Amino acid sequence: MRKLIQIVAMLAIILTFLTSTTVGYRVNKQALIDSTLETNLAYAEKLASTTDIYLREMLKILQVNADEVQSLIDQPDSQRQLNRVVERIGTQTSTFNSVAIVSPEGIVQSVSPPSLNLIGEKLTSVGARQAIEEKRSLISQPYVGITGELIVYISVPLFMEDGTYRGFLGGAIYLNKPNILEKILGNHFFENDSYVYVVDKEGSLIYHQQENRLNDDVSANKVVRKVIVGSTGSQRLINTQGVPMLAGYSYVPIADWGIVSQREESTAVAPAKTMVIKMALMSLPLLFLAYFLVSYLSKKIALPLQRLAYYTESSPESDHKVKMEAVSDWYYEVRQLKGALLHSLDYFRNEMNYFIHRSTTDPLTELINRRTMDDFMKQWVEEQKPFALVIFDIDKFKRVNDRYGHSVGDEVLIYLADLMQKVARKGDLCCRYGGEEFVILLPKADKVTAYLVAERLRRRLESTVSPCGEIVTISAGVAAYPLHANHPARLIELADKCLYEAKRTGRNKTIVVSDEPQHE
């Protein structure tokens, strides 16, 4: 009996421990995956923006010099002057590996560096033909040039005052040599085993940290297929090397390129395993305590039962009645065992609830966080459950922070969160969307109900003094599903537009999305 109790009790404790650690691991793993996807998306967008700006600046530099070239073409001693221009471009910027002035027939008139010995040669490369045919500023797709290099060519046309086309001024970036892409993208900002690569519109690699992969066709990659058609986003995927990755991707419109920042999933979620190990080590003392407690209680349980059996079998006389009644204390010992087990279970449940709470609520206001809000909206849309939302933020909140400090600003946010929960209906979800922006989700509500809730909150705010000593006001936008949109992101976008319309037209007001059809 004692062994059986020990086995059953310890099995319950171990299963509880395994359940709590498994749930904690999965919650933390998903949080790490979501965080990595968000980080890589933000970084890819940043690099795409930087690359786009840099390429536009290069086109401007070429255009400024093109104006000078156009004035020199028919001048005496033009060859020396043209040579001076291309040498100056090559010296001023480290972007181009070579710079050339080319005639309408594709003949090289001047080139830098002179060691290329291309003056008088006719260019038949893809970039040259495209520049002559289209007669506009352009950035070519990668191709193998006359020098045998893998090239991206940036060029601007040369036109005389009378509109006569006189060729083009262009600069070449050699992709398989040190180049500007390598300088911009070479070292990932976070240096956390993430890396960046760039593809052209055909899905070929034009930049990769492994140089031997340049010009590889990776169009089979799911992310590459999305980014080359102009999409921006993030997702989990298996790359062309068969490795699970977490990728963020962004489009560079001026060049029809796609930039992808990604990290191996196994590396990203490694901290979740460390968390489980730490949790196990922290739990060991309690497990040992539970083991000794179970041993003690099992002995206390078995001994009264043995005595009860002995008294019942060998001595039914009335003088043993008091001793048998004394065995009734075994119920107390059972309750003690049950209490010990419940104590252990409560500990592990508290650990699990702690991780879940941390992943679903905003730490400052204790409101639902944005990720949890998105999950609720997604679930309601999948269930086709009508709902409405109010999105609002504090008018001129930056002035509160600047005048009274961020600690007072935090008190204002907490004050607003408390009022939200007081004016919201039972069952409504109050969420912190980000910064001073908040959302109220109203399940099974229409736009009128949402408007009334928003107005109730707005009037409460404008009639009470906030923790900063001043009255603060809000501007709000209201939208309803499925009346205004069939997708959560679109619904938020429409409500957000109403919010900013409220701000633009005077603040301290609520605007509802128009019932006219919305284009998604």
Side-chain angles (χ1 to χ4, degrees), residues 4-17 20 286-298 301 332-350:
L4 180 60
I5 293 173
Q6 288 179 342
I7 292 171
V8 171
M10 290 307 301
L11 183 61
I13 292 173
I14 292 171
L15 289 176
T16 302
F17 170 75
S20 64
L286 287 176
L287 290 176
F288 282 119
L289 175 62
Y291 172 76
F292 289 114
L293 185 60
V294 168
S295 297
Y296 171 75
L297 292 176
S298 65
I301 291 171
Y332 172 77
E333 300 298 333
V334 169
R335 287 194 294 273
Q336 289 296 95
L337 176 59
K338 181 179 179 181
L341 292 172
L342 289 176
H343 172 74
S344 298
L345 182 61
D346 286 343
Y347 169 77
F348 292 122
R349 283 179 176 172
N350 287 338

Side-chain angles (χ1 to χ4, degrees), residues 308-356:
L308 181 60
Y310 173 77
Y311 294 146
T312 303
E313 181 180 51
S314 64
S315 185
E317 292 86 357
S318 59
D319 59 323
H320 289 291
K321 184 177 180 179
V322 174
K323 295 180 180 179
M324 294 176 66
E325 288 176 349
V327 179
S328 63
D329 284 344
W330 94 273
Y331 292 104
Y332 172 77
E333 300 298 333
V334 169
R335 287 194 294 273
Q336 289 296 95
L337 176 59
K338 181 179 179 181
L341 292 172
L342 289 176
H343 172 74
S344 298
L345 182 61
D346 286 343
Y347 169 77
F348 292 122
R349 283 179 176 172
N350 287 338
E351 289 289 305
M352 182 177 66
N353 290 335
Y354 171 75
F355 286 112
I356 294 174

Side-chain angles (χ1 to χ4, degrees), residues 81-142:
Q81 297 294 329
L82 294 177
N83 290 342
R84 181 179 60 81
V85 172
V86 295
E87 289 175 5
R88 184 181 66 207
I89 296 173
T91 302
Q92 285 178 340
T93 176
S94 60
T95 300
F96 302 116
N97 296 91
S98 65
V99 181
I101 299 173
V102 182
S103 71
E105 295 78 23
I107 305 300
V108 177
Q109 295 180 302
S110 181
V111 66
S112 175
S115 59
L116 292 176
N117 295 322
L118 293 178
I119 294 180
E121 296 286 336
K122 183 172 182 178
L123 299 181
T124 59
S125 63
V126 174
R129 291 201 307 271
Q130 186 181 4
I132 293 172
E133 290 172 1
E134 299 187 17
K135 298 180 178 59
R136 64 179 179 86
S137 299
L138 59 85
I139 300 171
S140 76
Q141 296 303 308

